[in-house]
Amino acid sequence: KAELLQDPNLMQEAWRKSGETFGKALRVAGYYWFRNGDYEQCISNLNKAAALNALYERVWFVKGCAEIRIGNFVAARDSFLRVTMISPDDAESWNNLATVYIKLDKLTEATYALKQALREKYDSWRIWYNMLHILLLSDSPGPDAIQDARRMI
């Protein structure tokens, strides 16, 4: 009922009544807080949910997105790394991981993440755009930048 009504108070009540074992209540509450822009509350709920069951990739993905929104790039990196370990074919997570690596000024790691994303979604202009961006940020872009620019066109 709490999920249907989108009432975080009901979700918290379900969490308490379960003896703090009903992870779905925390997941749903975390997603609710993300959609409503309370990223700190989102992260708090999703951290608890992940402690109960670390194999929900969506928990890690949404948590990573929330961490990016508040500028906590190290935690975002850890979250997206977790998603890519659970689901190595998730191109969007690889792309987000690359974005975090760019923010952390780790261009080699960002390039690797984007190459992984391209394995899964070769026709994504967004991934190619990010790849070109990284190559242009590097000290010596080289022929790959030209090839990536051609690919985008």
Side-chain angles (χ1 to χ4, degrees):
K1 184 176 180 179
E3 185 175 4
L4 184 63
L5 296 175
Q6 292 298 300
D7 183 348
N9 294 324
L10 290 175
M11 293 175 225
Q12 291 300 324
E13 183 180 340
W15 167 246
R16 281 190 298 278
K17 284 186 176 182
S18 73
E20 299 186 350
T21 60
F22 186 49
K24 183 175 182 180
L26 292 172
R27 292 192 305 274
V28 171
Y31 305 150
Y32 171 86
W33 292 119
F34 182 83
R35 280 190 309 278
N36 289 285
D38 189 341
Y39 304 117
E40 297 286 346
Q41 190 69 26
C42 166
I43 292 165
S44 173
N45 279 272
L46 295 181
N47 276 334
K48 292 175 191 172
L52 290 174
N53 188 338
L55 295 179
Y56 281 99
E57 65 187 82
R58 185 163 183 242
V59 167
W60 294 107
F61 185 87
V62 173
K63 181 181 173 301
C65 292
E67 297 284 6
I68 287 174
R69 299 271 174 99
I70 64 169
N72 191 349
F73 300 116
V74 173
R77 177 203 60 202
D78 295 344
S79 293
F80 289 119
L81 279 171
R82 190 68 77 117
V83 177
T84 60
M85 284 188 271
I86 296 168
S87 183
D89 59 345
D90 186 339
E92 192 172 353
S93 293
W94 283 110
N95 194 34
N96 288 355
L97 180 60
T99 300
V100 170
Y101 278 134
I102 291 169
K103 296 286 188 183
L104 295 172
D105 200 29
K106 295 185 176 281
L107 299 183
T108 303
E109 291 87 344
T111 302
Y112 175 79
L114 285 173
K115 286 180 180 180
Q116 295 302 314
L118 286 169
R119 281 182 164 179
E120 302 304 326
K121 235 179 178 178
Y122 190 77
D123 291 331
S124 172
W125 68 267
R126 286 182 176 94
I127 299 171
W128 282 107
Y129 179 83
N130 286 342
M131 180 66 87
L132 181 61
H133 181 76
I134 288 173
L135 292 170
L136 293 176
L137 283 175
S138 67
D139 293 333
S140 55
D144 286 344
I146 296 167
Q147 182 180 355
D148 291 344
R150 283 188 185 143
R151 175 73 185 127
M152 279 186 55
I153 296 170

